[in-house]
Amino acid sequence: MERPRFSDHLEAIKFICKDFWSELFKKQIDNLKTNHRGTFVLQDNRFRWLTRVSLDPRTENTDSTENDSAALGDTAAQTTTMLLYFPCGLIRGALTNLGISCSVSADMSNLPACSFVVRIKT
């Protein structure tokens, strides 16, 4: 409320990376990349919600087959992906309230790092 309206998308995204993220997760986004055409990648190298998640399925059953392990790995990956729906919604909601229509998706290729891809709708 104390700030003037953002003049462009980049200023709003910087606000999300610095102030908004700091309020939510007690740290800033580690890296921001853009193609200057409406796509922004926000990277958090140690996303708090993923620091204790492991995609390595450990089963105590010694009779399990490789297919069972693969199925457990897929389930773990799906569950971890679901953990990122909420922060994607937080980013999208914040930008929408700033007057920026966008879509947000997440990528978690190496835990606990994750990237949020923001695509501005024109």
Side-chain angles (χ1 to χ4, degrees):
M1 293 181 71
E2 302 151 2
R3 297 176 185 223
R5 208 62 158 145
F6 297 114
S7 61
D8 65 349
H9 300 309
L10 183 57
E11 285 185 27
I13 296 291
K14 285 181 181 178
F15 168 78
I16 296 294
C17 292
K18 292 179 181 178
D19 301 325
F20 185 75
W21 209 256
S22 293
E23 286 296 319
L24 290 176
F25 300 109
K26 308 298 184 222
K27 68 182 287 281
Q28 295 182 359
I29 286 286
D30 295 310
N31 197 1
L32 169 64
K33 296 178 185 176
T34 181
N35 66 357
H36 297 287
R37 291 182 296 220
T39 301
F40 300 90
V41 178
L42 290 66
Q43 184 175 0
D44 191 335
N45 294 331
R46 191 161 171 78
F47 187 56
R48 178 169 285 184
W49 293 358
L50 299 180
T51 54
R52 297 176 194 250
V53 172
S54 173
L55 291 181
D56 184 23
R58 302 207 184 253
T59 59
E60 295 179 9
N61 185 1
T62 57
D63 295 334
S64 66
T65 63
E66 289 183 21
N67 291 339
D68 291 342
S69 295
L72 287 172
D74 289 344
T75 303
Q78 289 173 350
T79 302
T80 305
T81 301
M82 290 173 60
L83 286 173
L84 297 177
Y85 290 163
F86 188 66
C88 286
L90 289 173
I91 295 169
R92 183 175 174 220
L95 288 171
T96 299
N97 281 310
L98 293 172
I100 300 171
S101 180
C102 65
S103 64
V104 181
S105 60
D107 175 43
M108 49 154 212
S109 52
N110 59 355
L111 293 174
C114 68
S115 299
F116 298 94
V117 179
V118 178
R119 290 184 180 86
I120 307 297
K121 295 179 182 175
T122 54

